[in-house]
Amino acid sequence: MTPTGTLDALLVEQRVFRPAPATIIEANVKPHDLAEATALAAADPLAYWEKAALELEWHRKWDAVLDDSDAPFYRWFPGAQGNIAHNALDRHVHAWTKNKLALIWEGEAGDCRKFTYFELYREVNRLAGALRALGVTRGDRVCLYLPPIPETVVAMLAAAKIGAVHVFVFAGMSAKVLRERINDCRAKVLITADGFYRGGRLINLKTVVDEALAGVRSDAAETVVIVRRSGDDIDMQEPRDLYYHDLLRQESPEAATEIMEADDPLFWLHTSGASGKPKAVIHGHGGYMVGAHHTFRTVFDIKPTDIHFCTADPGWITGHTYGVYGPLLTGATVILYEGHPLYPQADRLPSIIERYGATIFYATPTLIRMLMRYGPQYPKKRDLSTLRLLGSVGEPLGAEAWMWFYKHFGESKCPLLDTWWQTETGMAMISPMPISVLKPGSVGKALPGIDADVVDAAGHSVPPGQGGFLVIKKPWPGMLLGLEGDAAGYVSTYWEQIPGLYFAGDVARRDEDGYFWMQGRADEVLNIAGHRVGTAEVEAALTSHRFVSEAAVIGLPDKIKGEVAKAFVIPDPGWVEAFADADAFGAELRSHVRRELGPIVVLRAVELRDTLPRTRSGKILRRQLRAEELGEGVEGITATDD
Ligand code: PRX
């Protein structure tokens, strides 16, 4: 584990973009507010976060802002009681936001559904009542395997409302992954859909569900609630399978909101680490809510008239925090799109911005690079003048894509906020604000209250310009409560790599002005189109194939997806008889990985080998394979690789 070393000073981006005077005048956080916030957060971070918590409604106030007596198991707002659904939904029904649009949904075929806060509230209450009638109570897990449709937002909030824990499995995941997660969380209920549309095709989700449930443990997913989206004929297994709409018809539009402790779990979300299977990160009702609300209000600068378009699927952390909870906590209007971003043409997203007058557009570098490849004529075809802010998240954006997005979506006048954060952090941590001076390719400075630094392996800050490990030095409210069932893993993954500091797993450098420049992962985690994929997971999928003895997986740079995977495989000798040639075998392994893990894992190439390079202790030297592949030196490999 060594950072990539000092970066050539010549690579430092020199361009800067200053906010327009109007942006400063209109911003929620003006320069003097930011100076004040930064000073308060530096002098008394707990006072800063307490102020942020006071912007929300609580059933009972906290006894303390933070209990760090059992660090690193930090407890934010101990003693406080409330429910995120109260703040995201219930309170709007008694406020001016009651009849405001909460959600604008567009299906891939162009169908549109809109929900005011009041309508969303009634729908959520119906599902909350139905879940209670199915026996779901506080602390029970509800697994969501849902496409981006309004019912997905309803399901998240309904689970939260009754104190259940939602465990989202992104609808692109394979049957095998879904089965493992249902088993792991012993989901009482699974909520899914018959199918949905993507790229002009109908995806039959229920078929995948049936395959997943065939091998599921007997005490999990005893009830499956199916949203009718495609209207397709599906196999309904009685009494297990129930239609969402049938269930809701009998339910009252009013339901009580469970009063939760601040650190009661709200959701689990799985994410890949350097080793083993993905782990379930736990977020709770209190601290996460404060983090999501505060950052959405300050960083995204949300105003009553805003229409926020977040392209992330609700099944990822970005969708959870800035597609659902952040917007609803602040009473904003959010756009959710079901389909493929380029369907039927590359102006689909610009057309959505135009149609609903989106004011904020939050996208990912992979998406931006894809749009860039199609050319500026697509955003140009549409009126994007309603936009006032752009955002990016999930991977390094780079100066070139930054400039393109800034120019062709923002007409060189919308601040572009490249937000750095993680599933674990729950909320944006390092990001510009609308009033910030922007540097293309940089994620800006740490937000007020966030103590981020770049350090060497011993935990010492490195000088400006030098590469090092990104760490967070003080707890923050949106932080994970832990890893489900793995207290030791929580400590060793995040708090012991560099003792006492939160280890993000990223390599970064900071410039003379304190701006952070992200350089990718420091560990064996790939970032394929913004999705975290552990090399160990892909290797395990490969070795589960009967003709694979050993496998090593590395990441290779890709112009659009940022990174793709390449596998080195020691085959079982029997492969020679089973396949026509190495290409046919490679193609089979690629589809095997896809079947095992789902389409997000893009395995670009498979190379057959007789041996794999290993350290003396037997660990595969992936960095050597990578260096060979890219024609680089291997001097970065140190004794720590042993
Ligand atoms: O490597 C960093 C990268 O994405 C990782 C977190 O992935 P995940 O938990 O899936 O959450 C993604 C969405 C919040 C980080 O460790 N990453 C995230 N944002 C950025 C980024 N890399 C560079 N620039 C960013 N803005």
Side-chain angles (χ1 to χ4, degrees), residues 128-136 251:
L131 289 173
R132 279 193 173 122
L134 290 171
V136 180
E251 292 298 332

Side-chain angles (χ1 to χ4, degrees), residues 142-191:
V142 174
C143 184
L144 309 181
Y145 188 60
L146 282 161
I149 52 175
E151 288 78 5
T152 304
V153 179
V154 173
M156 291 167 75
L157 293 166
K161 182 145 194 166
I162 64 169
V165 180
H166 56 77
V167 183
F168 213 122
V169 181
F170 169 62
M173 293 288 186
S174 67
K176 181 167 179 270
V177 172
L178 177 61
R179 180 186 313 131
E180 280 172 5
R181 304 229 170 133
I182 292 172
N183 279 340
D184 284 354
C185 74
R186 269 174 297 123
K188 195 142 202 178
V189 171
L190 168 68
I191 308 181

Side-chain angles (χ1 to χ4, degrees), residues 540-549 572 579 585 588-589 592 595:
L542 283 163
T543 49
S544 74
H545 192 280
R546 58 192 284 247
F547 290 121
V548 175
S549 299
D572 181 280
F579 296 92
F585 183 39
E588 154 65 12
L589 292 182
H592 175 73
R595 268 196 309 275

Side-chain angles (χ1 to χ4, degrees), residues 470-535:
L470 180 71
V471 293
I472 312 292
K473 295 182 148 171
K474 285 197 192 81
W476 65 99
M479 67 191 296
L480 70 167
L481 298 176
L483 295 177
E484 178 55 30
D486 190 9
Y490 166 71
V491 176
S492 65
T493 309
Y494 304 110
W495 301 98
E496 283 182 351
Q497 307 269 346
I498 297 174
L501 307 179
Y502 173 83
F503 181 78
D506 278 24
V507 176
R509 73 183 157 83
R510 205 150 45 153
D511 66 18
E512 298 282 352
D513 300 326
Y515 280 56
F516 286 83
W517 300 77
M518 305 310 302
Q519 333 254 250
R521 296 287 303 189
D523 52 11
E524 297 294 350
V525 174
L526 309 183
N527 192 331
I528 303 177
H531 303 311
R532 269 161 74 172
V533 178
T535 50

Side-chain angles (χ1 to χ4, degrees), residues 269-272 281 312 316-319 321-322 362 364-365 392-398 417-428 430-431 441-443 470 502 504-507 517-523 525-527 530-533:
L269 204 52
H270 288 77
T271 194
S272 297
V281 164
W316 303 110
I317 191 67
T318 304
T321 304
Y322 298 121
Y362 193 33
T364 64
S392 173
V393 63
E395 328 151 52
L397 179 59
L417 314 174
D418 186 353
T419 57
W420 179 89
W421 57 295
Q422 307 178 295
T423 306
E424 293 88 338
T425 68
M427 61 189 241
I430 306 178
S431 170
S442 166
V443 293
L470 180 71
Y502 173 83
D506 278 24
V507 176
W517 300 77
M518 305 310 302
Q519 333 254 250
R521 296 287 303 189
D523 52 11
V525 174
L526 309 183
N527 192 331
H531 303 311
R532 269 161 74 172
V533 178

Side-chain angles (χ1 to χ4, degrees), residues 33 50 110 126 141 147-148 173 212 238 266 279 357 398 417 419 426 447 460 468 519 536 604 618:
D33 301 317
E50 178 160 43
R126 285 204 174 91
R141 272 78 58 207
M173 293 288 186
E238 303 217 344
L266 165 66
K279 303 269 167 50
L417 314 174
T419 57
L447 293 172
H460 303 301
Q519 333 254 250
R604 175 64 47 84

Side-chain angles (χ1 to χ4, degrees), residues 245-267:
H245 300 91
D246 292 343
L247 265 184
L248 261 61
R249 204 165 295 134
Q250 309 144 19
E251 292 298 332
S252 153
E254 290 295 331
T257 301
E258 199 74 19
I259 297 164
M260 309 301 289
E261 301 296 321
D263 59 357
D264 274 337
L266 165 66
F267 64 84

